Amino acid sequence: MKTEVCDRFGIEFPLFAFSHCRDVVAAVTNAGGFGVLGAVAYSPDRLEEELRWIDEHVGGRPYGVDVLVPGKIAKEAADGRGSLLSAVPPEHWRFLSGLFEKYGVPAPSPEALGDPRVDGVGRQVTQQGATELIDVALAHPIRLIASALGPPPPVMVERARAAGVPVAALVGTVEHARRQVAAGADLIVAQGGEAGGHTGEISTMVLVPEVVDAVAPLPVLAAGGIATGRQMAAALALGASGVWCGSVWLTTEEAETLPAVKAKMLAATSRDTVRSRSRTGKPARQLRSAWTEEWDSPASPGPLPMPLQMIVAEGAMAPIGKAAEAGNEGARQLANYFVGQVVGLMNTVKPARQVVYDMIEEFADALERLNRITND
Amino acid sequence: MKTEVCDRFGIEFPLFAFSHCRDVVAAVTNAGGFGVLGAVAYSPDRLEEELRWIDEHVGGRPYGVDVLVPGKIAKEAADGRGSLLSAVPPEHWRFLSGLFEKYGVPAPSPEALGDPRVDGVGRQVTQQGATELIDVALAHPIRLIASALGPPPPVMVERARAAGVPVAALVGTVEHARRQVAAGADLIVAQGGEAGGHTGEISTMVLVPEVVDAVAPLPVLAAGGIATGRQMAAALALGASGVWCGSVWLTTEEAETLPAVKAKMLAATSRDTVRSRSRTGKPARQLRSAWTEEWDSPASPGPLPMPLQMIVAEGAMAPIGKAAEAGNEGARQLANYFVGQVVGLMNTVKPARQVVYDMIEEFADALERLNRITND
């Protein structure tokens, strides 16, 4: 296969795999695609460690890094001073304690909630925190750096240009795409509302051709609703130069998805996701669970702005995950994770490599069928 | 082009056009596609008149009819007795009067709101009303009868079978698709949440392959997000045997869309629609306007169940449309109509025939590009 992005990125298949798991990133890159490590959950030291591991496992093949630099965040975080934990209102801590009690989950100790790593999760999505991650990433032989939310900030564009690394940006509307191009993006990822994680409301089927026309001749990757070769063929028919998949890796053998969440994903139908602010403070598609239902209920104080809600959610999800593994039923009800509507098509555990090969094979079948339809 | 549905329905292109406008239905059928007349707005007599006109204009080429037979409707309507108008609570009439006043639109006379035609709109979506429409339709040489919402009722399936006419059913989830097949549907229209009119939340990109796999070997048409040849190619790549388009005809030369609404559609972006209960009582995607904003605001008494909200909305939209034509600014703000997210791609007025030819040409281009990508 050959599209603009295959040539440009030196890959066999125009299939980009977004994952927080280094094993998935390396497996997809080694299978002929392009792995992209989501760096938001990592401290600079940890990111350094992950990228060193990837370098050792991909033999010079191309991969990238994705960071989250939101434009609008809570002012406490933007200040960059003091503990973000102390900016979470007591009302929200009370609501959280109430949830642990209601679902019979052992409440985490105040020390666990005050864990500096939890504070760090909030810190990394600030301008300063993200810049540290960008510097770590650009010191490795990465071939792409992506801005997961909002236009790439000038510091990202400048440093990436200096390092000769193209910049990608995820967009949910045509207006965002134009803004991201003006900010210096070299590659646009048009992500439909059916996608997992932070997402808008325009579907992939509508968004991709709109964005392709708006940013031509820049190449566009399609994201959202793509987990099979038929969907990859559809995305390329819409005019995309490749696809960007995130959800499909969550049920692979390599994925570090919590077993309780993985089991939920394997059982879920396409109706079992919801776009909710309850995990990060911005609308993000995820498994519908007691967590999303409670935070989005009238009894809730409402999700906090990013990154404060991330702090609350990340601090809670670790003990919830642990309790779910130990068989706690309430914890299993609460457990969730970001995933798109394609979760309904994710029904078996496979190695990430196999997902790539299956997609390419199904892509070829879909194209053969299209040709048969047209030539008959 | 040749898919299962081309053979079965005797058409050149597997392109089904849903429209309330007989001119669009005839134009698409005559261009090699398959026109489907939406009958919900018509009395039995009027439907008879429309179908006679179509018969005279398609020279025996195939077309179909779509009726709305919802499973759950307001009990006042289900009873089938008395005026439906009297079942609308005074609070809702007051809210409606308030809207006319707030937006400076001349309020319709009580006689206009009590117009038996308005009452009829509500009546036609009852089991009895729909059955009368089905009987009228089956007395014409139609080649398809479709159930727009919910499983086709036994009376529709029985009478269609007796007349040798296949039954189609629109679905928004895999579960609905299985239920519709069990109820006797011969053809499934898998409609993504980006579609105009009554719609679910699963996107076309995710829903179509799910439904194709669930109902095989029955053929599936893809609906929602399809207005161009690239999107048609994408739908067929997903495994659909054809496409079902509704929105794209609303800005054609033939369409009877109110000029004020047509102008809004031509100017709208893909962000300018909303899924709202404010026109029919069930969630339906439409232009976002002062009408949807007001009914979905906290000050609203909330939309009534179907068909009562249809009565309120249809009774109001006639005078609103008239005032909008006369240049009334408030009426222009209120005016709206059902349309999908593809409204962002509907930017020029063309004859319906031309829409068909452009889609087929762009389909061929998209396929050629796919083949180039694969063979390079």
Side-chain angles (χ1 to χ4, degrees):
Chain A
M1 289 175 73
K2 208 159 188 172
T3 70
E4 304 87 308
V5 300
C6 291
D7 288 342
R8 176 150 192 189
F9 293 96
I11 49 182
E12 278 178 78
F13 312 121
L15 168 54
F16 289 65
F18 170 84
S19 175
H20 293 286
C21 170
R22 64 190 189 184
D23 300 81
V24 169
V25 171
V28 173
T29 282
N30 286 328
F34 191 104
V36 181
L37 186 74
V40 68
Y42 296 135
S43 67
D45 286 351
R46 176 74 193 282
L47 179 61
E48 171 61 29
E49 198 182 302
E50 301 295 300
L51 297 184
R52 206 178 302 141
W53 186 94
I54 293 174
D55 290 337
E56 284 162 10
H57 286 81
V58 299
R61 288 183 198 85
Y63 74 95
V65 169
D66 175 286
V67 293
L68 186 66
V69 199
K72 273 204 296 202
I73 56 173
K75 66 175 188 335
E76 296 84 353
D79 283 352
R81 282 182 309 227
S83 164
L84 290 176
L85 282 165
S86 63
V88 174
E91 188 189 1
H92 288 76
W93 289 127
R94 267 199 304 275
F95 183 72
L96 185 60
S97 301
L99 284 187
F100 277 99
E101 197 177 335
K102 178 171 174 184
Y103 287 88
V105 180
S109 67
E111 296 77 44
L113 280 177
D115 188 323
R117 278 173 305 177
V118 171
D119 204 45
V121 169
R123 189 73 64 204
Q124 279 137 228
V125 300
T126 64
Q127 185 92 16
Q128 195 196 324
T131 305
E132 290 171 29
L133 295 179
I134 291 166
D135 285 339
V136 169
L138 289 173
H140 287 263
I142 61 168
R143 299 282 291 274
L144 181 74
I145 190 156
S147 171
L149 195 67
V155 61
M156 180 194 270
V157 175
E158 283 157 24
R159 295 186 191 190
R161 288 268 155 83
V165 173
V167 175
L170 273 78
V171 306
T173 68
V174 170
E175 294 75 14
H176 290 172
R178 292 205 182 94
R179 208 166 64 196
Q180 263 65 327
V181 170
D186 304 296
L187 175 68
I188 294 294
V189 183
Q191 181 182 263
E194 56 267 71
H198 294 116
T199 186
E201 297 188 272
I202 315 298
S203 80
T204 299
M205 191 68 115
V206 173
L207 182 69
V208 171
E210 282 190 309
V211 172
V212 166
D213 291 346
V215 308
L218 281 195
V220 172
L221 303 181
I226 304 168
T228 67
R230 282 179 284 183
Q231 290 160 328
M232 184 175 177
L236 269 59
L238 293 173
S241 298
V243 295
W244 173 280
C245 305
S247 299
V248 70
W249 318 108
L250 294 169
T251 50
T252 56
E253 274 178 24
E254 291 89 342
E256 288 158 0
T257 315
L258 284 175
V261 171
K262 207 175 198 175
K264 273 192 180 186
M265 288 180 176
L266 291 167
T269 74
S270 54
R271 303 176 81 167
D272 294 329
T273 72
V274 64
R275 206 167 151 263
S276 164
R277 296 174 56 231
S278 62
R279 271 201 77 135
T280 72
K282 291 189 189 277
R285 189 172 295 285
Q286 53 201 283
L287 280 178
R288 181 181 283 117
S289 83
W291 177 269
T292 60
E293 303 274 310
E294 293 285 356
W295 279 98
D296 296 333
S297 79
S300 156
L304 291 162
M306 182 179 277
L308 302 182
Q309 187 68 20
M310 286 174 87
I311 293 178
V312 173
E314 290 307 311
M317 280 298 163
I320 286 171
K322 214 171 279 178
E325 289 328 301
N328 181 301
E329 185 44 37
R332 289 192 174 176
Q333 289 173 40
L334 287 164
N336 88 338
Y337 193 66
F338 308 106
V339 75
Q341 291 183 343
V342 289
V343 71
L345 297 162
M346 291 155 49
N347 304 317
T348 52
V349 177
K350 293 192 274 193
R353 188 187 64 243
Q354 195 59 43
V355 172
V356 175
Y357 297 152
D358 288 352
M359 279 183 77
I360 301 307
E361 198 181 317
E362 203 191 274
F363 175 92
D365 291 345
L367 183 55
E368 198 186 304
R369 180 173 168 273
L370 275 182
N371 280 315
R372 227 170 27 235
I373 286 172
T374 314
N375 300 330
D376 261 5
Chain B
M1 290 176 72
K2 207 156 185 174
T3 70
E4 305 86 309
V5 301
C6 291
D7 287 341
R8 177 151 190 188
F9 293 97
I11 49 183
E12 277 178 78
F13 312 121
L15 167 53
F16 290 65
F18 171 84
S19 175
H20 292 287
C21 170
R22 65 189 189 185
D23 300 80
V24 169
V25 171
V28 173
T29 283
N30 287 328
F34 190 104
V36 180
L37 187 73
V40 68
Y42 296 135
S43 66
D45 285 352
R46 177 74 193 281
L47 180 62
E48 172 60 30
E49 197 182 305
E50 302 294 300
L51 297 184
R52 207 178 300 141
W53 185 94
I54 293 174
D55 290 338
E56 285 163 8
H57 286 81
V58 298
R61 287 183 199 86
Y63 74 94
V65 169
D66 176 287
V67 293
L68 185 65
V69 199
K72 272 205 296 200
I73 55 173
K75 66 175 185 337
E76 296 84 352
D79 281 353
R81 282 182 306 228
S83 164
L84 290 175
L85 283 165
S86 63
V88 174
E91 187 188 2
H92 288 76
W93 290 128
R94 268 198 305 275
F95 183 72
L96 185 61
S97 301
L99 283 187
F100 278 99
E101 197 176 338
K102 177 171 174 184
Y103 287 87
V105 180
S109 66
E111 296 77 44
L113 281 177
D115 188 322
R117 278 174 306 178
V118 171
D119 205 47
V121 168
R123 190 72 64 201
Q124 279 137 227
V125 300
T126 63
Q127 185 90 19
Q128 196 196 324
T131 305
E132 290 171 29
L133 295 179
I134 291 166
D135 285 340
V136 170
L138 288 173
H140 288 262
I142 62 169
R143 300 282 293 272
L144 181 73
I145 190 157
S147 170
L149 195 68
V155 61
M156 180 193 271
V157 175
E158 283 159 24
R159 295 186 192 191
R161 288 269 156 84
V165 172
V167 175
L170 274 77
V171 307
T173 67
V174 171
E175 294 75 14
H176 290 172
R178 292 206 182 94
R179 207 167 62 197
Q180 263 65 326
V181 171
D186 304 296
L187 176 68
I188 294 294
V189 183
Q191 180 182 264
E194 57 268 69
H198 294 117
T199 186
E201 297 188 272
I202 315 298
S203 79
T204 299
M205 192 68 117
V206 173
L207 182 69
V208 170
E210 283 190 309
V211 171
V212 165
D213 291 346
V215 308
L218 281 195
V220 172
L221 304 181
I226 304 167
T228 67
R230 284 179 283 183
Q231 291 159 328
M232 185 176 175
L236 268 57
L238 292 173
S241 298
V243 295
W244 172 282
C245 306
S247 299
V248 71
W249 318 109
L250 294 169
T251 50
T252 55
E253 274 179 22
E254 291 89 341
E256 287 157 1
T257 315
L258 284 174
V261 172
K262 207 175 196 175
K264 274 192 179 186
M265 288 181 176
L266 291 167
T269 75
S270 54
R271 303 175 82 168
D272 295 328
T273 73
V274 64
R275 205 167 150 265
S276 164
R277 296 173 56 230
S278 62
R279 272 201 74 136
T280 72
K282 291 188 189 278
R285 189 171 295 283
Q286 54 200 283
L287 280 178
R288 181 183 282 116
S289 83
W291 177 268
T292 60
E293 303 275 313
E294 294 285 357
W295 279 98
D296 295 334
S297 80
S300 155
L304 292 162
M306 180 179 277
L308 302 182
Q309 188 67 22
M310 286 174 88
I311 293 179
V312 173
E314 291 306 313
M317 280 298 163
I320 286 171
K322 215 171 278 178
E325 288 329 300
N328 182 299
E329 186 43 39
R332 289 191 175 177
Q333 288 172 41
L334 287 164
N336 89 338
Y337 194 67
F338 308 106
V339 75
Q341 292 182 340
V342 288
V343 72
L345 297 162
M346 292 156 47
N347 304 317
T348 52
V349 176
K350 294 191 273 194
R353 189 188 60 243
Q354 195 59 43
V355 172
V356 175
Y357 296 153
D358 288 352
M359 280 183 77
I360 300 308
E361 197 181 317
E362 203 191 274
F363 175 93
D365 291 346
L367 184 54
E368 199 185 304
R369 179 172 170 274
L370 274 182
N371 280 316
R372 225 167 32 233
I373 287 172
T374 313
N375 299 331
D376 262 6

